[in-house]
């Protein structure tokens, strides 16, 4: 495994870092986007460690600073969407120049996940997504589950007056929160992204943390709410309501790495060689047990599970992924 | 244009910002802060480097071993590794730029380490909110971990979940590294014997630390407790640029 600088853009001011695996043959490329305003290594080195772990198992990885983030200067006179689209065009050009045409997997936390979804909606070469706190639609039972969560929680019942006061105050505040500045994917973006990946037999791994509980509160909600046949077969959802958005605890980051590597290993043969057939019949759903990571259940159907270091007693259910993202810093 | 490269057996990453004046004989080496401070100040230090390079000073930023984009994990690091990284970064910067005078800027715990560095080309030390005592810094990191644990307890309560019993540590540090950190400190009196030291601070109380050259940047910044943002403090950066670019 080795690393070198990656440059993109008309003036080559765009900056990233490539990690090369020992065996490059047919290796897919994982592009890691900035989380919010953070630079390409962060938060807490997550992007660096994901890059290196995935390179160790055979992926080429590139952690990128998009324009206006980290070490890449901002573009002027462009909206965020235009700037990301321009960046992506240049990134692909540089990628193809260096590695030839390859299968692409996109990784992003928060606004990084937003960008990954928007790009996957447009780019047919994208075959995989690893999303941390992406956006998600709410399914029919979302509100019911939320209400049930309040009335069965002694803590929430005791503090309901505080919650209401807090909400009322927030409504009248003019403070601008970073999370409100996000340029989230549109409904069409999300539809196109998922449809494209189903059509191409892509793969999605989506994590939902405590941050996402505002719009996601059950394993499988993402896939269910999309109402898209076949999505559940390519999607794996991980719901970690005890985990903070930026994975501030090292144990949580270690678990995250474990799950990503597990998914990466299981899907590497597919990314490397599998022909993309639109009508390919999904495999029979299978259930897998998970790492000993609290209440996590996973939706993992129809994929070849290469290995699963699991411990007895962990719940695992089939589910689907969801989206909406979080704040930025 | 920024020129990233690896040094120290390809283990440590550096980012060289060449001066707008290719004949400049001045180099600024930036020792970054660590742990959560690193995340919050990256943007500011990147902007600082660009600004100084535009004003005629070569700049070298780097990530110490086990941090940022350098190789290794924190668990494997010793304090001696980091001190050696600083020495190597100064040498690399001199070789790349041809500069004969070095300003060494240390931020937070990066300043604590910078204060221990001796090199014949260092003309001046600049500290931004220096951590004066490693022991005190460890206490601060512990408090930060406690705050993280409390936040997770609240999350569990709010979500009606059982609280998971795991170590709520932002970063795992080895026992040896903790011991090393607890022994290190900045002695303002000793500092002045090597080269002039300038402190730029966001805490008025730091005036009492005893540095001969102290400047309050005009704004307060709560390093230990402000965890949710990215820091880009214009007044601090302007103060540093003024100091770095003055004759």
């Amino acid at each position: 495994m080795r690393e070198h600088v990656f440059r993109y853009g008309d003036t080559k001011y765009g900056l990233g870092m490539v990690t090369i695996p020992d065996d490059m043959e047919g290796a897919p490329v994982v592009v890691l986007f900035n989380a919010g305003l953070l630079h390409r290594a962060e938060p807490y080195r997550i992007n660096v460690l994901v890059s290196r772990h995935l390179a160790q198992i055979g992926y080429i990885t590139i952690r990128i600073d998009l324009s206006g983030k980290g070490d890449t200067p901002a573009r002027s006179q462009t909206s965020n969407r235009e700037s990301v689209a321009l960046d992506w065009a240049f990134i692909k050009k540089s990628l193809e120049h260096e590695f030839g045409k390859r299968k692409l997997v996109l990784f992003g936390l928060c606004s990084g996940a937003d960008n990954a979804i928007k790009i996957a909606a447009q780019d047919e070469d994208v075959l995989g997504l690893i999303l941390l706190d992406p956006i998600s639609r709410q399914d029919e039972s979302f509100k019911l589950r939320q209400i049930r969560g309040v009335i069965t929680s002694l803590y929430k019942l005791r503090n309901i007056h505080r919650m209401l006061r807090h909400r009322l105050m927030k409504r009248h505040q003019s403070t601008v929160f970073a999370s409100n500045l996000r340029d989230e994917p549109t409904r069409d973006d999300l539809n196109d992204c998922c449809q494209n990946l189903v059509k191409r037999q892509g793969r999605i791994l989506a994590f939902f943390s405590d941050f996402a509980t505002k719009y996601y509160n059950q394993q499988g909600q993402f896939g269910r709410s999309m109402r898209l046949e076949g999505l559940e077969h390519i999607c794996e959802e991980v719901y970690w309501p005890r985990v903070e958005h930026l994975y501030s605890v090292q144990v949580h980051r270690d678990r995250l790495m474990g799950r990503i590597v597990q998914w990466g290993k299981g899907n590497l043969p597919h990314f490397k060689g599998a022909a993309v057939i639109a009508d390919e019949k999904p495999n029979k759903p299978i259930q897998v047990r998970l790492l000993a990571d609290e209440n996590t259940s996973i939706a993992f159907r129809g994929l070849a599970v290469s290995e699963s270091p699991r411990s007895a007693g962990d719940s695992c259910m089939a589910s689907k992924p969801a989206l909406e993202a979080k704040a930025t810093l | 244009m920024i020129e990233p490269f690896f040094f120290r057996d390809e283990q440590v990453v550096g980012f060289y910002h060449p001066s707008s004046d290719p004949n400049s004989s001045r180099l600024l080496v930036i020792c970054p802060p660590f742990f959560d401070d690193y995340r919050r100040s990256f943007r500011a230090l990147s902007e600082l480097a660009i600004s100084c390079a535009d004003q005629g000073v070569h700049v070298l930023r780097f990530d110490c071993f086990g941090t940022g984009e350098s190789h290794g994990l924190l668990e494997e690091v010793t304090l001696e590794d980091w001190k050696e990284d600083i020495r190597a970064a100064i040498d690399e910067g001199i070789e790349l730029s041809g500069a004969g005078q070095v300003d060494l800027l240390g931020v937070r715990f990066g300043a604590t380490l910078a204060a221990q560095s001796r090199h014949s080309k260092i003309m001046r030390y600049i500290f931004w909110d220096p951590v004066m005592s490693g022991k005190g810094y460890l206490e601060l990191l512990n408090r930060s971990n406690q705050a993280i644990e409390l936040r997770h307890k609240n999350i569990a309560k709010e979500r009606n979940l059982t609280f998971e019993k795991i170590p709520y540590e932002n970063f795992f540090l080895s026992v040896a590294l903790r011991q090393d950190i607890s022994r290190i400190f900045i002695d303002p009196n000793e500092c002045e014997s090597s080269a002039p030291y300038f402190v730029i601070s966001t805490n008025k109380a730091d005036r009492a630390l005893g540095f001969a050259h102290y400047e309050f940047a005009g704004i307060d910044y709560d390093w230990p407790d402000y965890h949710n943002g990215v820091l880009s403090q214009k007044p601090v950066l302007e103060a540093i640029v003024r100091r770095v670019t003055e004759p």
Side-chain angles (χ1 to χ4, degrees):
Chain A
M1 190 181 78
R2 59 208 152 82
E3 293 197 323
H4 66 253
V5 178
F6 176 81
R7 290 195 184 275
Y8 71 92
D10 39 2
T11 53
K12 299 288 175 201
Y13 271 91
L15 199 74
M17 198 67 83
V18 180
T19 312
I20 306 278
D22 293 335
D23 178 12
M24 287 258 289
E25 200 181 326
V29 177
V30 182
V31 182
L32 298 96
F33 295 118
N34 306 89
L37 297 176
L38 297 176
H39 87 113
R40 62 187 176 276
E42 297 288 294
Y44 306 116
R45 292 186 98 199
I46 284 178
N47 283 18
V48 172
L49 298 177
V50 168
S51 295
R52 291 176 186 162
H53 281 303
L54 289 177
Q56 270 173 350
I57 60 171
Y59 290 81
I60 298 167
T61 61
I62 304 178
R63 41 186 193 274
I64 288 283
D65 276 338
L66 293 175
S67 293
K69 293 168 183 181
D71 286 318
T72 302
R75 290 178 194 284
S76 55
Q77 312 282 326
T78 53
S79 67
N80 177 62
R81 184 173 278 259
E82 289 166 345
S83 178
V84 171
L86 259 176
D87 282 347
W88 181 245
F90 284 122
I91 289 166
K92 274 199 77 177
K93 199 172 161 190
S94 292
L95 272 177
E96 285 177 14
H97 177 74
E98 191 167 345
F99 302 110
K101 211 166 170 60
R102 304 232 175 198
K103 302 272 171 51
L104 300 174
V105 178
L106 309 181
F107 170 99
L109 186 158
C110 188
S111 64
D114 292 348
N115 289 331
I117 290 168
K118 283 183 267 187
I119 290 167
Q122 303 290 327
D123 191 324
E124 294 204 340
D125 292 330
V126 176
L127 206 62
L129 294 176
I130 304 172
L131 308 171
L132 278 63
D133 282 341
I135 58 164
S136 173
R137 288 185 194 153
Q138 297 171 6
D139 59 7
E140 298 87 352
S141 318
F142 174 81
K143 284 212 160 55
L144 196 67
R145 290 194 299 269
Q146 247 192 346
I147 293 166
R148 198 170 52 205
V150 174
I151 59 176
T152 56
S153 163
L154 203 60
Y155 176 81
K156 278 192 176 170
L157 279 177
R158 272 187 197 148
N159 294 288
I160 200 155
H161 59 289
R162 276 187 212 159
M163 283 162 56
L164 289 172
R165 194 175 55 198
H166 180 67
R167 283 199 181 179
L168 277 171
M169 278 169 65
K170 239 175 130 179
R171 191 171 287 179
H172 297 293
Q173 274 174 352
S174 57
T175 313
V176 176
F177 292 97
S179 53
N180 297 339
L181 300 175
R182 274 181 57 188
D183 178 20
E184 291 178 358
T186 62
R187 199 173 176 83
D188 285 346
D189 289 331
L190 193 53
N191 279 341
D192 291 348
C193 165
C194 292
Q195 277 170 6
N196 285 348
L197 285 169
V198 168
K199 190 174 142 194
R200 298 194 290 270
Q201 280 291 297
R203 298 290 186 261
I204 303 173
L205 173 63
F207 294 87
F208 296 91
S209 73
D210 165 63
F211 171 82
T213 50
K214 283 176 272 182
Y215 55 84
Y216 180 98
N217 60 12
Q218 190 180 56
Q219 185 92 21
Q221 179 188 316
F222 174 78
R224 254 193 328 269
S225 61
M226 290 301 295
R227 298 168 181 272
L228 182 61
E229 195 183 337
L231 181 60
E232 63 193 280
H233 302 299
I234 65 161
C235 233
E236 181 176 334
E237 288 177 53
V238 182
Y239 182 34
W240 279 337
R242 290 181 176 85
V243 172
E244 280 190 325
H245 180 53
L246 294 185
Y247 291 77
S248 57
V249 176
Q250 176 146 356
V251 170
H252 292 159
R253 294 197 294 276
D254 292 345
R255 285 176 184 164
L256 177 73
M257 295 303 147
R259 292 302 298 270
I260 291 173
V261 168
Q262 181 189 336
W263 181 89
K265 274 185 183 172
N267 287 301
L268 187 61
H270 177 74
F271 290 135
K272 268 191 162 177
V276 179
I277 304 164
D279 298 326
E280 187 181 341
K281 198 175 175 184
N283 300 334
K284 192 180 171 189
I286 53 170
Q287 284 196 337
V288 294
R289 284 184 166 278
L290 279 190
L291 295 163
D293 49 9
E294 52 160 316
N295 283 359
T296 307
S297 38
I298 251 199
F300 203 111
R301 296 184 184 178
L303 305 184
V305 182
S306 62
E307 59 178 71
S308 36
R310 354 214 113 145
S311 61
D314 291 327
S315 63
C316 279
M317 355 173 182
S319 69
K320 318 169 183 181
L323 311 161
E324 182 180 326
K326 157 161 193 172
T328 315
L329 317 184
Chain B
M1 183 182 273
I2 304 170
E3 296 170 20
F5 64 103
F6 284 91
F7 61 103
R8 283 205 77 191
D9 296 331
E10 303 292 303
Q11 296 295 300
V12 177
V13 70
F15 303 92
Y16 176 55
H17 299 248
S19 162
S20 56
D21 171 10
N23 298 318
S24 170
S25 63
R26 300 181 64 175
L27 168 72
L28 173 70
V29 176
I30 301 177
C31 302
F34 291 79
F35 315 118
D36 201 39
D37 296 343
Y38 173 93
R39 174 176 68 82
R40 286 179 284 154
S41 60
F42 180 90
R43 179 95 184 171
L45 295 178
S46 174
E47 285 172 7
L48 175 73
I50 291 166
S51 185
C52 289
D54 283 348
Q55 294 185 50
V57 178
H58 302 284
V59 182
L60 184 81
R61 290 161 35 214
F62 67 99
D63 292 336
C64 285
F65 182 71
T67 72
E69 293 198 289
S70 287
H71 286 275
L73 298 171
L74 271 177
E75 296 96 301
E76 309 163 347
V77 171
T78 66
L79 208 61
E80 204 44 52
D81 285 330
W82 287 346
K83 289 182 190 171
E84 193 50 50
D85 289 343
I86 295 173
R87 281 188 281 272
I90 294 170
D91 288 336
E92 290 288 333
I94 290 169
E95 196 180 322
L96 283 165
S97 64
Q101 298 176 22
V102 176
D103 282 346
L104 189 60
L105 168 67
V107 186
R108 302 285 292 146
F109 190 65
T112 327
L113 291 176
Q116 325 294 320
S117 299
R118 300 288 176 264
H119 193 288
S120 60
K121 296 287 170 67
I122 295 177
M123 293 292 115
R124 189 163 45 174
Y125 294 85
I126 301 168
F127 297 153
W128 171 5
D129 287 331
V131 169
M132 299 302 290
S133 140
K135 199 174 167 189
Y137 192 51
L138 282 177
E139 285 166 11
L140 192 148
L141 293 178
N142 288 339
R143 281 206 303 278
S144 175
N145 288 339
Q146 285 163 7
I148 287 172
E149 181 168 355
L150 186 65
R151 288 205 305 269
H152 283 79
K153 271 185 182 159
N154 288 336
I155 288 173
K157 264 191 209 166
E158 281 186 26
R159 311 269 173 254
N160 218 7
L161 301 165
T162 52
F163 176 62
E164 199 187 11
K165 291 204 169 81
I166 54 168
Y168 285 89
E169 289 180 38
N170 193 193
F171 291 98
F172 289 153
L173 307 181
S174 68
V175 175
L177 183 61
R178 280 182 177 274
Q179 282 172 350
D180 285 350
I181 290 176
S182 70
R183 290 187 197 116
I184 193 173
F185 59 92
I186 299 178
D187 178 352
N189 299 323
E190 192 191 318
C191 285
E192 292 293 333
S193 63
S194 167
Y197 279 68
F198 295 89
V199 172
I200 292 164
S201 170
T202 59
N203 184 354
K204 276 181 188 163
D206 282 354
R207 189 181 292 278
L209 295 175
F211 284 99
H213 307 282
Y214 166 90
E215 180 178 344
F216 175 60
I219 50 165
D220 287 311
Y221 183 75
D222 191 346
W223 284 97
D225 296 323
Y226 181 66
H227 285 282
N228 295 320
V230 171
L231 163 70
S232 186
Q233 295 177 322
K234 209 173 168 202
V236 178
L237 301 186
E238 284 170 349
I240 296 172
V241 171
R242 267 200 313 275
R243 190 64 71 184
V244 170
T245 54
E246 73 187 1

